[in-house]
Amino acid sequence: MNRVARLVEDSARELLNREEILTLQRYLTLVPDEILWHRPRLLLAHAYLKILHHETADVVPLADQAERLLQEGSPDLTPAERDAVMGSILAVRARAALDAGMEPTKCITLAEAALRRLPEAHYYARGTALTPLSLGLYMAGRGSEADLLLQQEAAQSRTSNSFTLRILHNQWIMAFLNGEMAQAIAIAERQVAASEAAGLMVKVGWGHIMLGWSRYSLNDLDGAIEHLEVVVAYGQRVGLRCQLYAQTQLALAYEAIGRSDLANATLDALRAQACSMHSTDVRARIEATAARLHLLRGQVASAMRWVRSSLPQRNPAALLFNDIPDLTRAGILIAHRSPDALAEAQAHLHDLRNAAEARHYQFQLAKILAVQASLLWVSDRHDEALQTMADAAKIGQRGGIIRAFADLGADVRQVLCALKEHAAGYAVQDPYLSAALGAFDKPPASAIPTDFAVLPQLTRREIDVLKLLNKRHTDKEIAQALVISRLTVAKHTANLYRKLGVSSRHEAVVKARALGILNS
């Protein structure tokens, strides 16, 4: 069995470098726990998988045990291997510190120490350290240093597609958090193209999520839905965690176009998938999204049941994601209007604002300020409310952020309307406020195709794919016929399903025949 453990150890680095995660998971199951807990490199392989699955609480004990073994000797490791193992220990500690919301200086110190020890060939480990280092610099107000670091790493990265994609992902996070949505979209498009070329499905999925989040923030709902539905179409090939972030955002996008039925169905399907994953974090995020839908529908009593049955996160790392459960909680408490609820909302918003300002998260700060303005407004502190909302709007108009305010509830809309009447006095552009207010309006039900009476607007390429589906071609055959990748075929197929309102190839062909599309 020790020989098996050694073989798994020797292959772990290359499997991580190539991001063959499922293979590594299978290999690790071959090693009994009593052996694994005495092999530092196997413990670190497990730690990397825990990070990938966002199971941060399990990372530190694995790193502690690996470091303990290293200090006790580990005679089977060469000096160079010992140094690399220590580099990996520092890398996973740095990432765990980031995920736990620790101070930026802690993330930076650990990550820099890791990169000094890790050899260039350890791409995955170095990429793991690069994330807390670049984001730590950004959070510390050293964004230009973070940009330069990633540019330098990108220039030196000639051998690993995975490492290059890590760099792109970090660049996107910083652009997104800074509210620079046009730049975020450009970076995400590069990630999708590079991921498809490398055949890294999980990275393709995350690239489409990045595009979905960015386009949603600009209120490009069709564009957001298109990218998020591509992720759904990929299924488990991109992993449940990827599906979680795609489908929770997709539910909000469906709600935004007036399709509450699709929003509910999406969350129900996600709940069913989550049953196979023993993670309270996954279930908590699903229910937080459901609570936001209740708030948007004015169902305050239902939303309050979530507030009283769940615990606040109080983790600054939650601000790294598009939707913030504690901000949803504050909005619901404000809608409840009781003095105790308003006081509780004020405490949450105080903590959120401090965390966002300290870490320079401009996009999230705009949303927090908007909800804070609504609290001030319902507390009859109108002048403070207008100034706070103006501060939020100034951040939003710099990056063209339109959708963010519409997801925060009717109380935010009330303050935006009041600000629009006094826009000149607060140096906020009237056209921007009009666009932000317009995002609150859902399209009329008649504008949403629900039957064959409305002909879907398909692109020429989508019709090409549809005709080949009618001939019962496989994805591979369609890709060869149209000279495109199989991933692009899957994207076009997902678009067809959405536009036709179907969920399978057979249904798509049947509906297309009925609409006469295949005769065009």
Side-chain angles (χ1 to χ4, degrees), residues 122-171:
H122 290 236
Y123 309 128
Y124 192 89
R126 290 182 65 83
T128 298
L130 191 62
T131 296
L133 177 55
S134 58
L135 294 184
L137 289 170
Y138 177 88
M139 290 187 291
R142 297 158 62 183
S144 57
E145 289 182 55
D147 284 333
L148 181 60
L149 168 71
L150 293 175
Q151 289 171 17
Q152 290 173 339
E153 292 288 345
Q156 296 169 7
S157 178
R158 301 185 181 88
T159 53
S160 170
N161 290 319
S162 174
F163 189 69
T164 300
L165 291 169
R166 286 285 191 100
I167 293 170
L168 285 172
H169 189 75
N170 292 335
Q171 289 174 326

Coordinates of all heavy atoms in Angstrom, one line a residue, residues 122-171:
H122 N 5.6 23.8 -10.7 CA 4.4 23.6 -9.9 C 3.3 24.6 -10.2 O 3.0 25.5 -9.4 CB 4.8 23.6 -8.4 CG 5.6 22.4 -7.9 ND1 5.3 21.6 -6.9 CD2 6.8 22.0 -8.4 CE1 6.2 20.7 -6.7 NE2 7.2 20.9 -7.7
Y123 N 2.8 24.5 -11.4 CA 1.9 25.5 -11.9 C 0.6 25.7 -11.0 O 0.2 26.8 -10.7 CB 1.4 25.2 -13.3 CG 2.6 24.9 -14.3 CD1 2.6 23.8 -15.1 CD2 3.6 25.8 -14.4 CE1 3.6 23.5 -16.0 CE2 4.6 25.5 -15.3 CZ 4.6 24.4 -16.1 OH 5.6 24.1 -16.9
Y124 N 0.0 24.5 -10.7 CA -1.2 24.6 -9.9 C -1.0 25.2 -8.6 O -1.8 26.1 -8.1 CB -1.8 23.2 -9.8 CG -3.3 23.2 -9.3 CD1 -4.3 23.3 -10.2 CD2 -3.6 23.2 -8.0 CE1 -5.6 23.4 -9.8 CE2 -4.9 23.2 -7.5 CZ -5.9 23.3 -8.4 OH -7.2 23.4 -8.0
A125 N 0.1 24.8 -7.9 CA 0.3 25.3 -6.6 C 0.6 26.8 -6.6 O 0.2 27.6 -5.8 CB 1.5 24.6 -5.9
R126 N 1.4 27.2 -7.7 CA 1.8 28.6 -7.8 C 0.5 29.4 -8.1 O 0.3 30.6 -7.7 CB 2.8 28.8 -8.9 CG 4.2 28.3 -8.5 CD 5.2 28.5 -9.6 NE 5.5 30.0 -9.8 CZ 6.3 30.7 -9.0 NH1 6.9 30.2 -8.0 NH2 6.4 32.0 -9.3
G127 N -0.4 28.9 -8.9 CA -1.7 29.5 -9.2 C -2.5 29.7 -8.0 O -3.2 30.7 -7.8
T128 N -2.5 28.7 -7.1 CA -3.2 28.8 -5.9 C -2.7 29.9 -5.0 O -3.5 30.7 -4.4 CB -3.1 27.5 -5.1 OG1 -3.7 26.4 -5.9 CG2 -3.8 27.5 -3.7
A129 N -1.4 30.1 -5.0 CA -0.8 31.2 -4.2 C -1.0 32.6 -4.9 O -1.1 33.6 -4.2 CB 0.7 31.0 -4.0
L130 N -1.1 32.6 -6.2 CA -1.2 33.8 -6.9 C -2.5 34.5 -6.6 O -2.6 35.8 -6.6 CB -1.1 33.6 -8.4 CG -0.9 34.8 -9.3 CD1 0.3 35.6 -9.0 CD2 -0.9 34.4 -10.8
T131 N -3.6 33.7 -6.4 CA -4.9 34.3 -6.1 C -4.9 35.1 -4.8 O -5.3 36.3 -4.9 CB -6.0 33.2 -6.1 OG1 -6.1 32.6 -7.4 CG2 -7.4 33.8 -5.7
P132 N -4.5 34.6 -3.7 CA -4.5 35.4 -2.5 C -3.5 36.5 -2.5 O -3.7 37.6 -1.9 CB -4.2 34.4 -1.3 CG -3.6 33.2 -2.0 CD -4.2 33.2 -3.4
L133 N -2.4 36.4 -3.3 CA -1.5 37.5 -3.4 C -2.0 38.6 -4.2 O -2.0 39.8 -3.7 CB -0.2 37.0 -4.1 CG 0.9 38.0 -4.3 CD1 1.2 38.8 -3.0 CD2 2.2 37.4 -4.9
S134 N -2.6 38.4 -5.4 CA -3.1 39.4 -6.2 C -4.3 40.1 -5.6 O -4.4 41.3 -5.5 CB -3.5 38.9 -7.6 OG -4.4 37.9 -7.6
L135 N -5.2 39.3 -5.0 CA -6.4 39.9 -4.4 C -6.1 40.5 -3.1 O -6.7 41.5 -2.7 CB -7.5 38.8 -4.2 CG -8.1 38.2 -5.5 CD1 -9.2 37.2 -5.1 CD2 -8.6 39.3 -6.4
G136 N -5.1 40.0 -2.4 CA -4.6 40.6 -1.2 C -4.1 42.0 -1.4 O -4.3 43.0 -0.7
L137 N -3.3 42.1 -2.5 CA -2.8 43.5 -2.9 C -3.9 44.4 -3.3 O -3.9 45.6 -2.9 CB -1.8 43.3 -4.1 CG -0.5 42.6 -3.8 CD1 0.3 42.3 -5.1 CD2 0.4 43.5 -2.9
Y138 N -4.9 43.9 -4.0 CA -6.0 44.7 -4.4 C -6.8 45.2 -3.1 O -7.1 46.4 -3.0 CB -7.0 43.9 -5.3 CG -8.2 44.6 -5.7 CD1 -8.3 45.5 -6.8 CD2 -9.4 44.5 -4.9 CE1 -9.4 46.2 -7.1 CE2 -10.5 45.2 -5.2 CZ -10.6 46.0 -6.3 OH -11.7 46.7 -6.6
M139 N -7.0 44.3 -2.2 CA -7.8 44.6 -1.0 C -7.0 45.6 -0.1 O -7.6 46.4 0.6 CB -8.0 43.3 -0.2 CG -9.1 42.4 -0.8 SD -9.5 41.1 0.3 CE -8.0 40.1 0.4
A140 N -5.7 45.6 -0.2 CA -4.8 46.5 0.6 C -4.7 47.9 -0.1 O -3.9 48.7 0.4 CB -3.5 45.9 0.8
G141 N -5.4 48.1 -1.2 CA -5.4 49.4 -1.9 C -4.2 49.5 -2.8 O -3.8 50.6 -3.3
R142 N -3.6 48.3 -3.2 CA -2.4 48.3 -4.0 C -2.8 47.6 -5.4 O -2.1 46.7 -5.9 CB -1.3 47.5 -3.3 CG -0.8 48.2 -2.1 CD -0.1 47.3 -1.1 NE 1.1 46.7 -1.6 CZ 1.9 45.8 -1.0 NH1 1.5 45.4 0.2 NH2 3.0 45.3 -1.6
G143 N -3.9 48.1 -5.9 CA -4.4 47.5 -7.2 C -3.5 47.5 -8.3 O -3.4 46.6 -9.1
S144 N -2.7 48.6 -8.5 CA -1.8 48.8 -9.6 C -0.7 47.7 -9.5 O -0.2 47.2 -10.5 CB -1.2 50.2 -9.6 OG -0.5 50.5 -8.4
E145 N -0.2 47.4 -8.2 CA 0.8 46.4 -8.0 C 0.2 45.0 -8.4 O 0.9 44.2 -9.0 CB 1.2 46.4 -6.6 CG 2.1 47.5 -6.1 CD 2.5 47.4 -4.7 OE1 3.1 46.3 -4.3 OE2 2.2 48.3 -3.9
A146 N -1.0 44.8 -8.0 CA -1.7 43.5 -8.4 C -1.8 43.4 -9.9 O -1.5 42.3 -10.5 CB -3.1 43.4 -7.8
D147 N -2.2 44.4 -10.6 CA -2.2 44.4 -12.1 C -0.9 44.1 -12.7 O -0.8 43.2 -13.6 CB -2.8 45.7 -12.6 CG -4.2 45.9 -12.4 OD1 -5.0 44.9 -12.4 OD2 -4.7 47.1 -12.3
L148 N 0.1 44.8 -12.2 CA 1.5 44.6 -12.7 C 2.0 43.1 -12.4 O 2.6 42.5 -13.3 CB 2.5 45.6 -12.1 CG 3.9 45.5 -12.5 CD1 4.0 45.7 -14.1 CD2 4.8 46.5 -11.8
L149 N 1.7 42.6 -11.3 CA 2.1 41.2 -10.9 C 1.5 40.3 -11.9 O 2.1 39.4 -12.4 CB 1.6 40.9 -9.5 CG 1.6 39.4 -9.1 CD1 3.1 39.0 -8.9 CD2 0.9 39.2 -7.8
L150 N 0.1 40.4 -12.2 CA -0.5 39.4 -13.1 C 0.0 39.6 -14.5 O 0.1 38.6 -15.2 CB -2.0 39.7 -13.0 CG -2.7 39.3 -11.6 CD1 -4.2 39.7 -11.6 CD2 -2.5 37.8 -11.3
Q151 N 0.3 40.8 -14.9 CA 0.8 41.0 -16.3 C 2.2 40.4 -16.4 O 2.5 39.7 -17.4 CB 0.9 42.5 -16.6 CG -0.4 43.2 -16.8 CD -0.3 44.7 -16.8 OE1 0.8 45.3 -17.0 NE2 -1.4 45.4 -16.6
Q152 N 3.0 40.5 -15.4 CA 4.3 39.9 -15.4 C 4.2 38.3 -15.4 O 4.9 37.7 -16.2 CB 5.1 40.3 -14.2 CG 5.5 41.8 -14.3 CD 6.2 42.3 -13.0 OE1 6.1 41.7 -11.9 NE2 7.0 43.3 -13.1
E153 N 3.3 37.8 -14.6 CA 3.1 36.4 -14.6 C 2.6 35.8 -15.9 O 3.0 34.8 -16.4 CB 2.2 36.0 -13.4 CG 2.7 36.2 -12.0 CD 3.8 35.2 -11.7 OE1 4.0 34.2 -12.4 OE2 4.5 35.4 -10.7
A154 N 1.7 36.6 -16.5 CA 1.2 36.2 -17.8 C 2.2 36.2 -18.9 O 2.3 35.3 -19.7 CB 0.0 37.2 -18.2
A155 N 3.1 37.2 -18.8 CA 4.2 37.3 -19.8 C 5.2 36.1 -19.7 O 5.8 35.7 -20.7 CB 5.0 38.6 -19.6
Q156 N 5.4 35.6 -18.5 CA 6.3 34.5 -18.2 C 5.7 33.1 -18.4 O 6.4 32.1 -18.4 CB 6.9 34.6 -16.8 CG 7.7 35.9 -16.6 CD 8.0 36.1 -15.1 OE1 7.8 35.3 -14.3 NE2 8.6 37.3 -14.8
S157 N 4.3 33.1 -18.5 CA 3.6 31.8 -18.5 C 3.6 31.3 -20.0 O 2.7 31.8 -20.7 CB 2.2 32.0 -18.0 OG 1.5 30.8 -18.1
R158 N 4.4 30.4 -20.3 CA 4.5 29.9 -21.7 C 4.2 28.4 -21.8 O 4.0 27.9 -22.9 CB 5.9 30.1 -22.2 CG 6.4 31.5 -22.2 CD 7.7 31.7 -22.9 NE 8.2 33.0 -22.9 CZ 8.9 33.6 -22.0 NH1 9.2 32.9 -20.9 NH2 9.3 34.8 -22.0
T159 N 4.0 27.7 -20.6 CA 3.9 26.3 -20.7 C 2.6 25.7 -20.1 O 2.3 24.5 -20.3 CB 5.1 25.6 -20.0 OG1 5.2 26.2 -18.7 CG2 6.4 25.9 -20.7
S160 N 1.8 26.5 -19.4 CA 0.6 26.0 -18.7 C -0.6 26.8 -19.1 O -0.7 28.0 -18.7 CB 0.9 26.0 -17.2 OG -0.3 25.7 -16.6
N161 N -1.5 26.2 -19.8 CA -2.8 26.8 -20.1 C -3.6 27.1 -18.8 O -4.2 28.1 -18.6 CB -3.7 25.9 -21.0 CG -3.1 25.8 -22.4 OD1 -2.7 26.8 -22.9 ND2 -3.2 24.6 -22.9
S162 N -3.5 26.1 -17.8 CA -4.2 26.3 -16.6 C -3.7 27.5 -15.8 O -4.5 28.2 -15.2 CB -4.0 25.0 -15.7 OG -4.5 25.2 -14.4
F163 N -2.4 27.7 -15.8 CA -1.9 28.8 -15.0 C -2.3 30.2 -15.7 O -2.7 31.1 -15.0 CB -0.3 28.7 -15.0 CG 0.3 29.7 -14.1 CD1 0.1 29.7 -12.7 CD2 1.1 30.8 -14.6 CE1 0.7 30.6 -11.9 CE2 1.7 31.7 -13.7 CZ 1.5 31.6 -12.4
T164 N -2.3 30.2 -17.0 CA -2.7 31.4 -17.7 C -4.2 31.7 -17.4 O -4.5 32.9 -17.2 CB -2.5 31.2 -19.3 OG1 -1.2 30.9 -19.5 CG2 -3.0 32.4 -20.0
L165 N -5.0 30.7 -17.3 CA -6.4 30.9 -17.0 C -6.6 31.4 -15.6 O -7.5 32.1 -15.3 CB -7.2 29.6 -17.3 CG -7.3 29.2 -18.8 CD1 -7.8 27.8 -18.9 CD2 -8.2 30.2 -19.5
R166 N -5.7 30.9 -14.7 CA -5.8 31.4 -13.3 C -5.5 32.9 -13.3 O -6.2 33.7 -12.6 CB -4.7 30.8 -12.4 CG -5.0 29.3 -12.0 CD -6.1 29.3 -10.9 NE -6.1 27.9 -10.4 CZ -5.5 27.5 -9.3 NH1 -4.9 28.4 -8.6 NH2 -5.6 26.3 -8.9
I167 N -4.6 33.4 -14.1 CA -4.3 34.8 -14.2 C -5.5 35.6 -14.7 O -5.8 36.6 -14.2 CB -3.0 35.0 -15.1 CG1 -1.8 34.4 -14.4 CG2 -2.8 36.5 -15.4 CD1 -0.6 34.3 -15.3
L168 N -6.1 35.1 -15.8 CA -7.2 35.7 -16.4 C -8.4 35.8 -15.3 O -9.1 36.8 -15.2 CB -7.7 35.0 -17.6 CG -6.9 35.2 -18.9 CD1 -7.4 34.2 -20.0 CD2 -7.0 36.6 -19.4
H169 N -8.6 34.7 -14.6 CA -9.6 34.7 -13.6 C -9.4 35.8 -12.5 O -10.3 36.5 -12.1 CB -9.7 33.3 -12.9 CG -10.9 33.2 -12.1 ND1 -12.2 33.0 -12.6 CD2 -11.1 33.2 -10.7 CE1 -13.1 32.9 -11.6 NE2 -12.4 33.0 -10.5
N170 N -8.2 35.9 -12.1 CA -7.9 36.9 -11.1 C -8.0 38.3 -11.6 O -8.5 39.2 -10.9 CB -6.4 36.7 -10.5 CG -6.3 35.5 -9.7 OD1 -7.2 35.0 -9.2 ND2 -5.1 34.9 -9.7
Q171 N -7.6 38.5 -12.9 CA -7.8 39.8 -13.5 C -9.3 40.2 -13.6 O -9.7 41.3 -13.4 CB -7.2 39.9 -14.9 CG -5.7 39.8 -14.9 CD -5.0 39.7 -16.2 OE1 -5.6 39.0 -17.1 NE2 -3.9 40.4 -16.4

